[in-house]
């Protein structure tokens, strides 16, 4: 029979110390494995912690849950070897080292060699192993710390290379030039998984612009709608990212959406204008400041009037507008390739009347939908040639607008978001605000206002994400996502909402996995 100690006064700390001492003296953990030689193995590799930071209470909770399953399987007769590991790569390590060294990613290879930088990362990454080992023992977590797998060791990296080879042999690895979420401060693209981290999306207040795009010519098929109208006629398009407007090369309409032609006045310049806007969004964009009237009301308007009159002149479908050409809104640069195909109205299946004007401003270099629909219609992206003849977008990888060309000094070389500046360095007027003021002065802004919307932020740097054209290596997850979703539904998740809800929804909508990173401290991709 088994004898248990009797405790007069419950001292949990003392009890824990006694049990730990007993386990250690009798090699209980080792015996739990050695005594089951020949038994069916239950394989456990710990999802590894990163030793460049100290452990927190959440690590204790996670390890306790892991430990329960390993002990349970041991009691069921399995041989449960538990291999520890250290996660040594990733942005947290690099960003921490850069902060300590007082450098940025751009300094690597200039102020410090890549070799010395990687050496500093290697030293930093195992800094707190003693603290981790002490915690592991104190909480009674059974895991083999003597022979851990370490992700910077060649043996581990070669195992990843082996897996990549299997993917390559199956035709699941490919290089893609796509619009991806990119973190300027971290200097790397982000995967869809990283964008799904809790707290990544947050409400921000941004300057938005309803811009006026001046029509050059309507297509013959729809001239009947506009032949009796006096020019100029402007198409209204709304954007929450005004910094993308200089990269506009198309406007997208919904083929079946109803659009109206409206005569009114610009509220900033007081000039008479005729505009095209989605019919369901007329009231929302005009608000209380505009009041419907007739020709007499329009003739009587003065800048001192409290309200602005408008008159609906006609109506058409979005399909009637496809093929319309318009003047470039901000003529600083033109596309280096096929410029004559730019600045056209095209149709987009993503255009809705939920918000905005029912017309979407298309900047193919900074939006996945934009790039897709522009390519479909043969509209070029706003890429210009640098001094070496390379095609580049108007914003660089740091989040700065490029210099040169015909870009005014107030915009060239400036960060497009004030959040990208170092503390205390941001200008009083953000890039977007400065552009909005310019558009107002040039009679190219119908409405400028602050707008609260949800926007993704980098989970490591806490800075806004950019959607940017990048070369990356992808795994074709989409080939298997339906099967993964089916298998996920066979798992007995606890709680169900975690596996069948958030995780299940992520699987159902999974994109191809962008596995490459534009960094130095990590597993090199064996592709050249």
């Amino acid at each position: 029979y088994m004898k248990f100690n009797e405790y007069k006064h419950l001292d949990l700390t003392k009890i824990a110390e006694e049990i730990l001492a007993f386990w250690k003296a009798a090699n209980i953990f080792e015996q739990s494995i050695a005594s089951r030689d020949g038994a069916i193995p239950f394989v456990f590799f710990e999802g590894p912690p990163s030793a460049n930071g100290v452990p927190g209470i959440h690590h204790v909770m996670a390890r306790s849950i892991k430990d329960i399953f390993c002990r349970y399987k041991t009691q069921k007769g399995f041989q449960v070897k538990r291999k520890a590991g250290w996660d040594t790569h990733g942005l947290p390590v690099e960003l921490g080292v850069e902060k300590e060294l007082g450098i940025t990613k751009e300094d690597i290879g200039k102020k410090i060699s890549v070799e010395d930088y990687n050496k500093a990362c290697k030293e930093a990454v195992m800094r707190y192993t003693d603290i981790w080992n002490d915690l592991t023992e104190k909480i009674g977590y059974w895991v083999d710390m003597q022979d851990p797998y370490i992700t910077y060791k060649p043996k581990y990296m070669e195992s990843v290379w082996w897996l990549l080879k299997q993917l390559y042999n199956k035709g699941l690895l490919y290089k893609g030039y796509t619009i991806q979420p990119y973190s300027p401060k971290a200097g790397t693209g982000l995967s869809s998984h990283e964008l799904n981290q809790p707290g990544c999306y947050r409400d921000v207040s941004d300057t938005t612009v309803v811009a006026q795009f001046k029509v050059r010519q309507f297509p013959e098929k729809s001239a009947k709608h506009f032949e009796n109208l006096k020019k100029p006629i402007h198409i209204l398009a709304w954007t929450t990212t005004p910094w993308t407007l200089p990269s506009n090369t198309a406007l997208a309409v919904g083929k079946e959406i109803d659009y109206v032609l409206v005569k009114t006045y610009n509220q900033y310049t007081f000039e008479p204008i005729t505009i095209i806007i989605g019919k369901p969004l007329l009231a929302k964009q005009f608000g209380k400041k505009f009041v419907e009237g007739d020709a007499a009301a329009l003739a009587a308007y003065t800048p001192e009037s409290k309200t602005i009159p408008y008159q609906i002149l006609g109506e058409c479908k979005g399909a009637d507008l496809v093929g319309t050409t318009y003047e470039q809104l901000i003529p600083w640069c033109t596309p280096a390739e096929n410029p004559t195909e730019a600045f056209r109205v095209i149709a987009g299946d993503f255009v809705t009347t939920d918000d905005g004007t029912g017309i979407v401003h298309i900047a193919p270099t900074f939006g996945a939908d934009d790039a897709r629909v522009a390519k479909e219609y043969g509209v070029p992206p706003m890429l210009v040639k640098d001094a070496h003849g390379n095609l580049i977008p108007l914003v660089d990888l740091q989040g700065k607008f490029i210099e040169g060309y015909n870009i005014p000094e107030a915009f060239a070389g400036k960060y497009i978001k004030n959040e990208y500046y170092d503390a205390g360095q941001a200008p009083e007027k953000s890039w977007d605000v400065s552009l909005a003021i310019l558009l107002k002065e040039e009679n190219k802004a119908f409405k400028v206002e602050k707008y609260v919307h949800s926007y993704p932020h980098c989970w490591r740097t806490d800075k806004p994400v950019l959607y940017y054209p990048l070369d990356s290596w992808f795994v074709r997850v989409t080939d298997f996502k339906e099967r993964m979703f089916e298998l996920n539904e066979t798992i007995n998740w606890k709680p169900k909402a975690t596996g069948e809800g958030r995780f299940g929804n992520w699987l159902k909508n999974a994109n191809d996995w962008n596995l490459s990173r534009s960094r130095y401290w990590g597993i090199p991709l064996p592709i050249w």
Side-chain angles (χ1 to χ4, degrees):
Y1 65 94
M2 188 173 287
K3 184 179 178 182
F4 291 93
N5 290 334
E6 181 182 345
Y7 294 95
K8 300 290 186 184
H9 302 286
L10 188 62
D11 185 341
L12 291 174
T13 304
K14 187 179 179 183
I15 294 170
E17 288 171 354
E18 290 174 357
I19 292 172
L20 288 172
F22 166 64
W23 284 352
K24 197 169 188 178
N27 290 322
I28 301 297
F29 172 40
E30 291 78 7
Q31 286 193 61
S32 76
I33 298 170
S35 64
R36 283 166 172 74
D37 275 342
I40 299 171
F42 177 77
V43 180
F44 179 81
F45 281 69
E46 183 180 19
S50 180
N52 71 311
V54 295
I57 192 65
H58 58 293
H59 294 109
V60 177
M61 294 166 70
R63 286 181 148 198
S64 298
I65 294 169
K66 294 175 190 176
D67 207 43
I68 287 169
F69 284 89
C70 289
R71 289 175 187 269
Y72 171 73
K73 286 293 184 180
T74 299
Q75 290 180 325
K76 296 292 283 185
F78 291 83
Q79 184 181 42
V80 188
K81 294 180 180 180
R82 307 162 170 100
K83 194 173 183 69
W86 296 111
D87 181 6
T88 62
H89 289 138
L91 279 176
V93 179
E94 294 196 60
L95 297 177
V97 168
E98 286 167 22
K99 189 174 182 181
E100 286 180 17
L101 297 177
I103 62 171
T104 65
K105 183 190 174 187
E106 285 67 38
D107 296 325
I108 302 167
K110 299 172 185 173
K111 293 182 181 179
I112 184 173
S113 69
V114 175
E115 186 180 3
D116 287 342
Y117 174 74
N118 281 344
K119 184 181 177 184
C121 288
K122 191 172 184 178
E123 290 169 356
V125 79
M126 302 299 275
R127 183 174 296 160
Y128 300 110
T129 49
D130 290 346
I131 296 174
W132 275 94
N133 290 339
D134 182 59
L135 175 80
T136 302
E137 191 172 314
K138 275 181 179 172
I139 65 174
Y141 180 55
W142 285 359
V143 68
D144 178 14
M145 301 293 294
Q146 302 308 309
D147 184 29
Y149 67 93
I150 301 172
T151 58
Y152 68 61
K153 292 284 185 75
K155 185 178 179 182
Y156 179 86
M157 292 197 282
E158 286 169 10
S159 71
V160 176
W161 285 0
W162 181 87
L163 289 166
L164 287 172
K165 181 71 186 307
Q166 310 313 304
L167 292 170
Y168 176 80
N169 287 344
K170 293 178 179 180
L172 296 174
L173 196 64
Y174 70 93
K175 188 178 186 182
Y177 184 80
T178 57
I179 309 300
Q180 300 164 37
Y182 180 81
S183 173
K185 284 300 175 187
T188 186
L190 302 173
S191 68
S192 59
H193 171 70
E194 288 171 296
L195 281 193
N196 279 315
Q197 295 288 336
C200 172
Y201 279 83
R202 61 189 70 166
D203 286 342
V204 295
S205 178
D206 278 332
T207 298
T208 66
V209 174
V210 175
Q212 296 179 179
F213 294 80
K214 191 175 181 181
V215 171
R216 295 183 70 170
Q217 189 171 353
F218 291 109
E220 286 185 23
K221 63 178 180 178
S222 56
K224 61 181 184 291
H225 294 292
F226 315 106
E227 59 189 359
N228 295 323
L229 295 175
K230 287 184 179 179
K231 290 189 176 180
I233 298 171
H234 292 88
I235 301 172
L236 299 191
W238 177 65
T239 181
T240 58
T241 54
W243 60 267
T244 64
L245 286 171
S247 297
N248 169 273
T249 55
L251 296 172
V253 295
K255 285 185 177 180
E256 298 304 316
I257 295 175
D258 292 317
Y259 293 88
V260 286
L261 293 85
V262 183
K263 190 172 183 180
T264 186
Y265 289 85
N266 183 284
Q267 62 181 316
Y268 305 118
T269 63
F270 313 114
E271 290 186 28
I273 51 173
T274 302
I275 58 172
I276 296 173
I277 186 173
K279 187 177 181 180
L281 289 154
L282 181 65
K284 188 168 188 176
Q285 283 298 337
F286 278 18
K288 295 179 180 178
K289 191 165 187 177
F290 290 79
V291 177
E292 188 169 5
D294 54 18
L298 286 164
Y301 170 76
T302 68
E304 288 73 35
S305 301
K306 289 183 178 180
T307 58
I308 301 174
Y310 71 88
Q311 182 183 18
I312 297 175
L313 303 177
E315 190 172 321
C316 67
K317 289 285 186 184
D320 297 322
L321 296 171
V322 174
T324 300
T325 58
Y326 60 88
E327 292 182 8
Q328 186 178 3
L329 184 75
I330 302 170
W332 296 342
C333 312
T334 52
E337 296 184 341
N338 302 319
T340 56
E341 297 300 312
F343 316 119
R344 289 187 286 129
V345 175
I346 59 181
D349 55 9
F350 50 83
V351 181
T352 71
T353 55
D354 296 335
D355 222 331
T357 65
I359 299 148
V360 177
H361 135 68
I362 300 296
T365 43
F366 301 115
D369 279 334
D370 300 41
R372 174 178 60 82
V373 74
K375 187 176 181 180
E376 184 183 327
Y377 277 88
V379 172
M382 182 61 75
L383 294 170
V384 295
K385 286 186 178 179
D386 65 11
H388 305 288
N390 299 312
L391 290 173
I392 59 170
L394 300 190
V395 177
D396 67 18
L397 287 166
Q398 297 177 57
K400 284 183 178 178
F401 213 82
I402 62 171
E403 298 185 68
Y405 307 92
N406 293 314
I407 303 167
E409 189 178 329
F411 303 97
K414 307 293 193 300
Y415 283 112
I416 57 168
K417 290 181 179 289
N418 271 8
E419 293 91 335
Y420 296 152
Y421 285 95
D422 292 332
Q425 299 298 309
E428 186 177 340
K429 288 176 185 170
S430 68
W431 206 99
D432 283 348
V433 169
S434 296
L435 188 71
I437 292 169
L438 178 69
L439 293 176
K440 281 182 180 181
E441 292 170 348
E442 294 182 351
N443 193 40
K444 293 179 178 179
F446 182 79
K447 184 193 279 187
V448 174
E449 63 182 352
K450 286 288 184 181
Y451 179 77
V452 176
H453 64 132
S454 182
Y455 194 84
H457 288 64
C458 172
W459 68 303
R460 288 301 183 189
T461 65
D462 224 26
K463 302 293 184 185
V465 163
L466 276 187
Y467 285 88
Y468 203 87
L470 295 173
D471 267 345
S472 290
W473 288 92
F474 292 86
V475 176
R476 295 186 195 278
V477 175
T478 48
D479 284 12
F480 293 93
K481 69 177 182 179
E482 289 178 9
R483 179 65 178 144
M484 289 194 293
F485 180 77
E486 289 171 7
L487 290 170
N488 184 59
E489 292 194 310
T490 69
I491 296 171
N492 183 22
W493 283 94
K494 299 290 182 182
K496 282 191 177 296
T498 299
E500 296 177 5
R502 183 179 171 191
F503 186 67
N505 289 334
W506 179 73
L507 279 176
K508 184 181 280 187
N509 299 296
N511 297 315
D512 285 349
W513 176 23
N514 170 12
L515 56 78
S516 56
R517 293 290 179 273
S518 308
R519 300 295 307 192
Y520 296 95
W521 173 245
I523 298 178
L525 279 174
I527 305 162
W528 48 81

